[in-house]
Amino acid sequence: MVAARDYFDSGAQEVGVAFRKLLKTDPLHPSAKNRIRRWTLGDIITAIGTTGLTITQLEEEAGIRWAFPAKAPIGIEDNIPGLFTIIAEKK
């Protein structure tokens, strides 16, 4: 497996919208783009911690193929978490 980008890159990226395959592609309807910033797990946990919330659960989910680039190796979704779910509460 080869990493396609820097995990720690905090810059914004221009990407196609998730539903772009459903959009018309004629000159009157150009392909929709948006800008995203990918946050590290450390960024997210730190942001939650600074708000006074207490993390009660962090789940990692495997088998999420759509979370990886189309060119990612087959089966990667079973070996690396594609989604994380964080549950936090204010005490």
Side-chain angles (χ1 to χ4, degrees), residues 55-76:
I55 295 172
T56 59
Q57 191 171 353
L58 170 61
E59 292 184 11
E60 302 165 296
E61 298 181 43
I64 312 295
R65 179 67 194 172
W66 60 261
F68 295 91
K71 293 182 181 180
I74 300 299
I76 192 171

Side-chain angles (χ1 to χ4, degrees), residues 31-67:
S31 179
K33 299 278 185 178
N34 63 0
R35 294 188 62 77
I36 62 169
R37 192 233 194 242
R38 299 185 190 272
W39 301 92
T40 66
L41 186 58
D43 291 334
I44 295 166
I45 298 295
T46 300
I48 291 170
T50 61
T51 65
L53 295 173
T54 300
I55 295 172
T56 59
Q57 191 171 353
L58 170 61
E59 292 184 11
E60 302 165 296
E61 298 181 43
I64 312 295
R65 179 67 194 172
W66 60 261

